[in-house]
Every structure is written in structure tokens, then in C-alpha cells.
Amino acid sequence: MPLESCMVLLDTSEFMRNGDYIPTRLDAQSDAANMIVNQKTQSNPESTVGVIAMSSSGPSAGAELLVSPTDDLGKILSALHGVPLCGKMVESGKDAVDVAASVQVATLALKHRRNKNGAQRIVLFVGSPLDCADSRSLVKAGKQLKKNNVFIDVIAMGELEGNEPKLRELVDAANGTTGNDDGAERNCHLVTIPAGVLPSDVLVSSPILRGDGGGGGANVGGAGGTGAGGGGDAFAEYGGIDPNMDPELAMALRVSMEEERARQERAAALSNETKEEENSGDAANADQIDVAAESGDINNVDAMNDEDALLQQALAMSMAETENQGGDAGGNGAEGMDTGAEDEDAAMQMALQMSMQAEGEEQPSTRGSASGQFQDPAFVSNLLGSLPGVNPNDPAIQEALRKANEESDKNEKKEDGNDK
């Protein structure tokens, strides 16, 4: 921002104790004033800021100069932090603050500023009712500011219904315009803060801090919202960064934005070329169809239009033939499998019968050999002697063996007789 000398006028009347702003009007005003002072001093190292307390009990007419315009941020913040409320009772027929007189004191302070090259601006906070303020005196004060090339920004906090019309007349007079001159250049602004909203949140996007010269007033219609009336961003080319504050960052953002803009332009040109090629291809196909139709070759036109349908039909026929061949092969294979299964069952039955016959022939010889062994006295004696706890010479055992041999002999004789 350019070099500027600014005077901040604070409302210190008893009305600033109200709690319709968080936490009170006075604290909300102090927070907003701190933000404005920091922005003014950081935007340009040579800018100066002064502080005036309105509705003071000092010898001045309704205003007390706390700090003359200076670039010492410590002095300014100290003055803002130590602003007391004025405990003086308001006399009947007078307002708690005298806006016209306070503006004149601020004008005199700016007249004696150290650096005469910078612009002059007044930031006025109003939180007290202006019931007795004369519109004519406010308009006169505004015209005097216009004559002395002093700009004014008014921040209205509370008592908006009665104060806003009068404060707007002051701003319009300082701009040298009327309320209907929407196209005129305006360097003075009015910002109204509704109850319950932090003034600092509203001022961040207002013309007061953005430095726009295209808006004469900014009205806030709801919580957290900012009104219209601001011009375009003066530093949009640098990504919203003031090049005077940080030249390197501003230049880097500018280069980055230019590269991104060039990339988007190339992408748009490529997209347009692709669309043109597609349109030209469609037009060529349409021309071929028209030529074929004009020459009477209707079959070619139908073939071009029905090519996909023919391909689908050929694919369906091929799949049908494959399924038929697979069905025949599957039937033959099933018959072969049935025949093989029957042959296998017959072979198993024949093998089972042959095995049974062989077992029947071997059983008599086996039984005969086994019985022959048990009839041998030496074999039986050895067998009994091998058993633990058995005495083969026991008379009882000998008698049992004898009886068994006699019965075996009788059975053999009977079998021989039957064979004869």
C-alpha cells in the first residue's frame, strides 16, 4: 500500500460497556483497532498512526490526543491498551461523543504530521447513539475533509438504526458524492457491524483493510458476512500478496500463476483440436454415405450401416455350430462310457466266480492236512510242551488225546465207507 498517515478515533463513552459484542463493545473495538494499526504499519514501513480518544474529560472539545502520528508500534499499542472509559455523565441535549469536533481534532493532528508526502486518513469508531447530532454539521465536516484531501473510514458498532443514515451522509460528503452516484470513485467507506459479530472478522474482508477505492460503503447483513461495495483485489496479479511487503513471494506467485494460465491455455487448445478432428471424421463418413446414396449403391450403404449387425450374426452362428459339435461328441462319449462300464462289471463277476471255485477246491485239502497234523502224537506233544504251565505227560491230557484220536479214526472209516 502507498505511504499513509492515519488517525484512529476510539469511542470511550459509557455506552461501550454494553455486552452486545463479545465480550464488550470496548474490547471488540480495541481488537479491531489493533488489527488496523498492524495492517497500516506493516503495509509500508514509513506509514504513521495516531490515536484519539473521544468523549474524554480533558480540555479538548470532546476528544483527547493520546498519540500523535508515529511509526513506533510500541507507543501506539500502549495507547490502545490503556484507553479508559469516560465516567462523565452526559448532559441533556448532547451526545456522548461529538463526531464533528473529534474529526476536526484529527484533521489538525494530521496537518502536523512528520511526513507530508503520504495520504491522510481517519478511522472513526462509533458505538454511542447520535441522537442529538445535526446532519448539517456532519455534512459540513465531511466537506471539510474533502477539501483538505483527508479520507475517512467509519465503523459503526451498535445503535445502527439511528446512526447509520447520519454516518452515511458524513461519508458521502467526504467522497464528494451522493447516495445515488454508484459509478463515482469512492475513497471513504462505511462499515456497519451487527450485534454478536466480531468487528475484526468483518474488517478483514472490508475495503478498509483491503485498500480498495471502489466502494463507498459496506453493510453487513448477517453474522459473519460482509456487504457489497468493494472493488477488485489490487494484488490479484500477485496472488493477493502486496509486492511492497514481500517482493520475492509476490514475484514467485506471479510466475506460478502465469505458468498455470499458460498450461490451461495449452490444454484448452489441445481439447479444441481433438474436437475438430472428431467432427471432421464424422463429416467424412457422412460424405461417403451421401456419395454412395447418390450413386445408387444402396447395398453399400446398408452394409456400412449394418456392419455391426452382420458381425454379431456371424458370431452367433459360429457359437451355435460349436455347441452342436460338442453335443455329438458328448453323446458318443457317453455311449462308449456305458459300454465300457458293462464290460467291466461282467469281468468282475467272472473273476469273483473263479475265485470262489478255487477257494472251494483248496478247503478240503487244507482241512485234511490240518487234521493230519493234529493226529500226529509227536506234533501234539511238542505243541503242548510249548504252552506255559502245561505238562504233556499229565494222565488227564493223555486220556483226552487218546479219545480224540479214536473219534478221528471212526470218522475216517465212515468217510471211506461212504466213498465205496
mmCIF file of all heavy atoms in Angstrom, residues 94-115:
data_model
loop_
_atom_site.group_PDB
_atom_site.id
_atom_site.type_symbol
_atom_site.label_atom_id
_atom_site.label_comp_id
_atom_site.label_asym_id
_atom_site.label_seq_id
_atom_site.Cartn_x
_atom_site.Cartn_y
_atom_site.Cartn_z
ATOM 1 N N LYS A 94 -27.028 16.725 24.573
ATOM 2 C CA LYS A 94 -25.737 16.457 23.960
ATOM 3 C C LYS A 94 -25.551 14.945 23.815
ATOM 4 O O LYS A 94 -26.096 14.167 24.602
ATOM 5 C CB LYS A 94 -24.594 17.048 24.791
ATOM 6 C CG LYS A 94 -24.591 18.570 24.853
ATOM 7 C CD LYS A 94 -23.376 19.058 25.617
ATOM 8 C CE LYS A 94 -23.332 20.582 25.661
ATOM 9 N NZ LYS A 94 -22.142 21.082 26.404
ATOM 10 N N ASP A 95 -24.749 14.595 22.833
ATOM 11 C CA ASP A 95 -24.419 13.185 22.634
ATOM 12 C C ASP A 95 -23.202 12.810 23.462
ATOM 13 O O ASP A 95 -22.438 13.687 23.918
ATOM 14 C CB ASP A 95 -24.140 12.895 21.157
ATOM 15 C CG ASP A 95 -25.388 13.051 20.305
ATOM 16 O OD1 ASP A 95 -26.487 12.788 20.832
ATOM 17 O OD2 ASP A 95 -25.257 13.441 19.124
ATOM 18 N N ALA A 96 -23.014 11.499 23.653
ATOM 19 C CA ALA A 96 -21.863 11.023 24.422
ATOM 20 C C ALA A 96 -20.560 11.342 23.707
ATOM 21 O O ALA A 96 -19.520 11.527 24.344
ATOM 22 C CB ALA A 96 -21.979 9.523 24.677
ATOM 23 N N VAL A 97 -20.594 11.371 22.370
ATOM 24 C CA VAL A 97 -19.398 11.714 21.589
ATOM 25 C C VAL A 97 -19.780 12.812 20.610
ATOM 26 O O VAL A 97 -20.894 12.857 20.089
ATOM 27 C CB VAL A 97 -18.842 10.478 20.832
ATOM 28 C CG1 VAL A 97 -18.326 9.441 21.800
ATOM 29 C CG2 VAL A 97 -19.898 9.873 19.923
ATOM 30 N N ASP A 98 -18.833 13.666 20.349
ATOM 31 C CA ASP A 98 -19.013 14.739 19.376
ATOM 32 C C ASP A 98 -18.179 14.374 18.151
ATOM 33 O O ASP A 98 -16.961 14.592 18.114
ATOM 34 C CB ASP A 98 -18.576 16.072 19.965
ATOM 35 C CG ASP A 98 -18.973 17.261 19.098
ATOM 36 O OD1 ASP A 98 -19.360 17.023 17.919
ATOM 37 O OD2 ASP A 98 -18.888 18.405 19.574
ATOM 38 N N VAL A 99 -18.834 13.799 17.163
ATOM 39 C CA VAL A 99 -18.124 13.288 15.991
ATOM 40 C C VAL A 99 -17.483 14.430 15.216
ATOM 41 O O VAL A 99 -16.314 14.347 14.805
ATOM 42 C CB VAL A 99 -19.083 12.472 15.100
ATOM 43 C CG1 VAL A 99 -18.386 12.053 13.814
ATOM 44 C CG2 VAL A 99 -19.600 11.267 15.851
ATOM 45 N N ALA A 100 -18.208 15.514 14.987
ATOM 46 C CA ALA A 100 -17.683 16.624 14.186
ATOM 47 C C ALA A 100 -16.442 17.233 14.835
ATOM 48 O O ALA A 100 -15.418 17.490 14.176
ATOM 49 C CB ALA A 100 -18.764 17.683 13.989
ATOM 50 N N ALA A 101 -16.498 17.459 16.153
ATOM 51 C CA ALA A 101 -15.348 18.049 16.843
ATOM 52 C C ALA A 101 -14.157 17.092 16.848
ATOM 53 O O ALA A 101 -13.004 17.502 16.674
ATOM 54 C CB ALA A 101 -15.742 18.411 18.271
ATOM 55 N N SER A 102 -14.416 15.796 17.041
ATOM 56 C CA SER A 102 -13.326 14.811 17.048
ATOM 57 C C SER A 102 -12.651 14.731 15.692
ATOM 58 O O SER A 102 -11.422 14.610 15.585
ATOM 59 C CB SER A 102 -13.867 13.450 17.466
ATOM 60 O OG SER A 102 -14.438 13.489 18.753
ATOM 61 N N VAL A 103 -13.444 14.825 14.625
ATOM 62 C CA VAL A 103 -12.873 14.788 13.273
ATOM 63 C C VAL A 103 -12.000 16.024 13.040
ATOM 64 O O VAL A 103 -10.929 15.937 12.405
ATOM 65 C CB VAL A 103 -14.003 14.687 12.230
ATOM 66 C CG1 VAL A 103 -13.466 14.926 10.828
ATOM 67 C CG2 VAL A 103 -14.686 13.340 12.324
ATOM 68 N N GLN A 104 -12.395 17.180 13.563
ATOM 69 C CA GLN A 104 -11.574 18.386 13.405
ATOM 70 C C GLN A 104 -10.252 18.252 14.138
ATOM 71 O O GLN A 104 -9.190 18.659 13.631
ATOM 72 C CB GLN A 104 -12.352 19.602 13.909
ATOM 73 C CG GLN A 104 -13.533 19.989 13.039
ATOM 74 C CD GLN A 104 -14.291 21.180 13.595
ATOM 75 O OE1 GLN A 104 -13.909 21.749 14.628
ATOM 76 N NE2 GLN A 104 -15.368 21.569 12.917
ATOM 77 N N VAL A 105 -10.268 17.668 15.334
ATOM 78 C CA VAL A 105 -9.020 17.459 16.079
ATOM 79 C C VAL A 105 -8.107 16.514 15.319
ATOM 80 O O VAL A 105 -6.883 16.728 15.229
ATOM 81 C CB VAL A 105 -9.330 16.920 17.486
ATOM 82 C CG1 VAL A 105 -8.038 16.543 18.218
ATOM 83 C CG2 VAL A 105 -10.112 17.951 18.304
ATOM 84 N N ALA A 106 -8.677 15.457 14.755
ATOM 85 C CA ALA A 106 -7.871 14.507 13.983
ATOM 86 C C ALA A 106 -7.272 15.180 12.749
ATOM 87 O O ALA A 106 -6.124 14.914 12.374
ATOM 88 C CB ALA A 106 -8.728 13.312 13.580
ATOM 89 N N THR A 107 -8.031 16.083 12.130
ATOM 90 C CA THR A 107 -7.518 16.791 10.953
ATOM 91 C C THR A 107 -6.326 17.679 11.321
ATOM 92 O O THR A 107 -5.332 17.751 10.585
ATOM 93 C CB THR A 107 -8.638 17.635 10.314
ATOM 94 O OG1 THR A 107 -9.751 16.798 10.003
ATOM 95 C CG2 THR A 107 -8.157 18.317 9.059
ATOM 96 N N LEU A 108 -6.416 18.328 12.456
ATOM 97 C CA LEU A 108 -5.295 19.154 12.905
ATOM 98 C C LEU A 108 -4.063 18.299 13.209
ATOM 99 O O LEU A 108 -2.928 18.695 12.915
ATOM 100 C CB LEU A 108 -5.695 19.962 14.141
ATOM 101 C CG LEU A 108 -6.732 21.067 13.918
ATOM 102 C CD1 LEU A 108 -7.132 21.701 15.244
ATOM 103 C CD2 LEU A 108 -6.176 22.130 12.967
ATOM 104 N N ALA A 109 -4.283 17.115 13.800
ATOM 105 C CA ALA A 109 -3.148 16.240 14.096
ATOM 106 C C ALA A 109 -2.482 15.767 12.799
ATOM 107 O O ALA A 109 -1.254 15.683 12.708
ATOM 108 C CB ALA A 109 -3.611 15.044 14.928
ATOM 109 N N LEU A 110 -3.274 15.469 11.782
ATOM 110 C CA LEU A 110 -2.698 15.046 10.506
ATOM 111 C C LEU A 110 -1.990 16.196 9.793
ATOM 112 O O LEU A 110 -1.039 15.979 9.029
ATOM 113 C CB LEU A 110 -3.811 14.467 9.602
ATOM 114 C CG LEU A 110 -4.409 13.123 10.040
ATOM 115 C CD1 LEU A 110 -5.597 12.756 9.160
ATOM 116 C CD2 LEU A 110 -3.355 12.025 9.986
ATOM 117 N N LYS A 111 -2.448 17.405 10.026
ATOM 118 C CA LYS A 111 -1.816 18.551 9.389
ATOM 119 C C LYS A 111 -0.386 18.734 9.874
ATOM 120 O O LYS A 111 0.476 19.214 9.112
ATOM 121 C CB LYS A 111 -2.652 19.801 9.662
ATOM 122 C CG LYS A 111 -2.153 21.039 8.937
ATOM 123 C CD LYS A 111 -3.084 22.229 9.198
ATOM 124 C CE LYS A 111 -2.602 23.480 8.470
ATOM 125 N NZ LYS A 111 -3.502 24.640 8.712
ATOM 126 N N HIS A 112 -0.125 18.346 11.084
ATOM 127 C CA HIS A 112 1.215 18.492 11.651
ATOM 128 C C HIS A 112 1.964 17.157 11.649
ATOM 129 O O HIS A 112 2.832 16.919 12.496
ATOM 130 C CB HIS A 112 1.132 19.035 13.088
ATOM 131 C CG HIS A 112 0.557 20.404 13.181
ATOM 132 N ND1 HIS A 112 -0.811 20.654 13.250
ATOM 133 C CD2 HIS A 112 1.151 21.638 13.184
ATOM 134 C CE1 HIS A 112 -1.029 21.946 13.313
ATOM 135 N NE2 HIS A 112 0.154 22.586 13.281
ATOM 136 N N ARG A 113 1.663 16.306 10.705
ATOM 137 C CA ARG A 113 2.345 15.000 10.605
ATOM 138 C C ARG A 113 3.788 15.193 10.178
ATOM 139 O O ARG A 113 4.139 16.229 9.587
ATOM 140 C CB ARG A 113 1.596 14.093 9.629
ATOM 141 C CG ARG A 113 1.615 14.567 8.198
ATOM 142 C CD ARG A 113 0.654 13.725 7.321
ATOM 143 N NE ARG A 113 0.713 14.108 5.914
ATOM 144 C CZ ARG A 113 0.066 15.116 5.382
ATOM 145 N NH1 ARG A 113 -0.695 15.900 6.154
ATOM 146 N NH2 ARG A 113 0.164 15.385 4.089
ATOM 147 N N ARG A 114 4.604 14.214 10.436
ATOM 148 C CA ARG A 114 6.026 14.329 10.158
ATOM 149 C C ARG A 114 6.335 14.247 8.667
ATOM 150 O O ARG A 114 7.094 15.038 8.125
ATOM 151 C CB ARG A 114 6.779 13.234 10.917
ATOM 152 C CG ARG A 114 8.289 13.269 10.734
ATOM 153 C CD ARG A 114 8.932 12.166 11.553
ATOM 154 N NE ARG A 114 8.400 10.853 11.161
ATOM 155 C CZ ARG A 114 8.684 9.725 11.811
ATOM 156 N NH1 ARG A 114 9.445 9.763 12.893
ATOM 157 N NH2 ARG A 114 8.184 8.592 11.388
ATOM 158 N N ASN A 115 5.723 13.260 7.986
ATOM 159 C CA ASN A 115 5.972 13.062 6.554
ATOM 160 C C ASN A 115 4.795 13.645 5.779
ATOM 161 O O ASN A 115 3.673 13.138 5.870
ATOM 162 C CB ASN A 115 6.149 11.567 6.254
ATOM 163 C CG ASN A 115 6.726 11.328 4.862
ATOM 164 O OD1 ASN A 115 6.647 12.193 3.987
ATOM 165 N ND2 ASN A 115 7.321 10.156 4.659
#
